[in-house]
Amino acid sequence: VYKRQVLEHGARSKEVPFPPGSWFDFWTGEQHQGGVTDTVAAPLGTLPLYQRAGSLLPLLRPTIDTLAPVTAPGDIDSFATSAGRLWVRVAPGAEGRQTLYDGSELVQQPDAGGLLLDLAAGDVFQEGFVLEICGWGPDAPVRVTQDGQQLPARSTREQLLAGAAGYYHDDSGAGWLLIKTDSGSHTLSVR
């Protein structure tokens, strides 16, 4: 992950010298080519943050409020109570590999017209995965499979997250593709 801070009073843009390679805006999924300096929007409250193409960024689910155990019942989502699904931000590109502290293994490799992902569950994250693939583009994938079986397309992000394994393509902006897997280890193919 590559970030640039805005340190000038009143500035709403920033010149960013991108290192060689391709980079994806963390918030929008827009792709930037490296080896050049671009002027990018940097509104107050939005850090200019970029993820290298080919990288896999493991994240906790966005609903987590705390990592500590929770003793009082309520609406507090604690990692200590349930690790839940592992969320992974995928920046398509060259082959990428990530091994987590619990033994979970994540591998992506480009495939003709798509992407292959090998996901191995570890000791903590055993409920499955949610993959956020940035910069997929405006066209929905033709086929998304989990271990050779077609996954169903969902109409909304909310429908995907509330239901069983499947995928959702958000065609606005740079085109996000979200995939939710079953528990366990899987091989995904996206075309």
Side-chain angles (χ1 to χ4, degrees):
V1 176
Y2 177 63
K3 65 179 182 176
R4 295 290 295 188
Q5 296 175 329
V6 178
L7 301 174
E8 182 181 319
H9 179 72
R12 296 294 182 263
S13 64
K14 178 74 177 171
E15 284 194 4
V16 176
F18 287 94
S22 292
W23 297 84
F24 290 91
D25 184 295
F26 187 82
W27 313 111
T28 67
E30 179 185 0
Q31 189 172 11
H32 295 266
Q33 291 306 316
V36 298
T37 298
D38 277 345
T39 300
V40 300
L44 191 62
T46 303
L47 177 69
L49 183 64
Y50 300 91
Q51 184 175 351
R52 181 183 51 81
S55 65
L56 299 151
L57 183 61
L59 303 165
L60 297 176
R61 67 184 176 274
T63 58
I64 288 183
D65 297 310
T66 181
L67 300 177
V70 177
T71 55
D75 295 329
I76 298 174
D77 188 5
S78 170
F79 176 78
T81 304
S82 169
R85 283 185 162 77
L86 176 62
W87 286 63
V88 181
R89 178 71 60 92
V90 178
E95 183 173 332
R97 180 178 300 271
Q98 185 76 266
T99 301
L100 279 62
Y101 74 97
D102 75 332
S104 295
E105 291 187 40
L106 315 167
V107 178
Q108 78 157 312
Q109 47 191 316
D111 189 35
L115 185 63
L116 289 176
L117 296 149
D118 286 313
L119 311 169
D123 296 333
V124 175
F125 296 102
Q126 297 184 345
E127 293 183 27
F129 300 86
V130 174
L131 306 170
E132 297 177 321
I133 302 173
C134 59
W136 184 260
D139 297 325
V142 174
R143 184 172 170 86
V144 178
T145 62
Q146 174 181 281
D147 304 322
Q149 300 297 314
Q150 176 76 30
L151 288 177
R154 306 293 185 203
S155 301
T156 65
R157 176 186 175 96
E158 293 74 23
Q159 186 184 48
L160 172 69
L161 298 178
Y167 71 93
Y168 167 68
H169 178 252
D170 180 351
D171 60 3
S172 65
W176 289 93
L177 178 61
L178 274 73
I179 303 172
K180 181 178 178 182
T181 73
D182 293 322
S183 61
S185 300
H186 303 286
T187 297
L188 298 177
S189 174
V190 185
R191 299 200 181 277

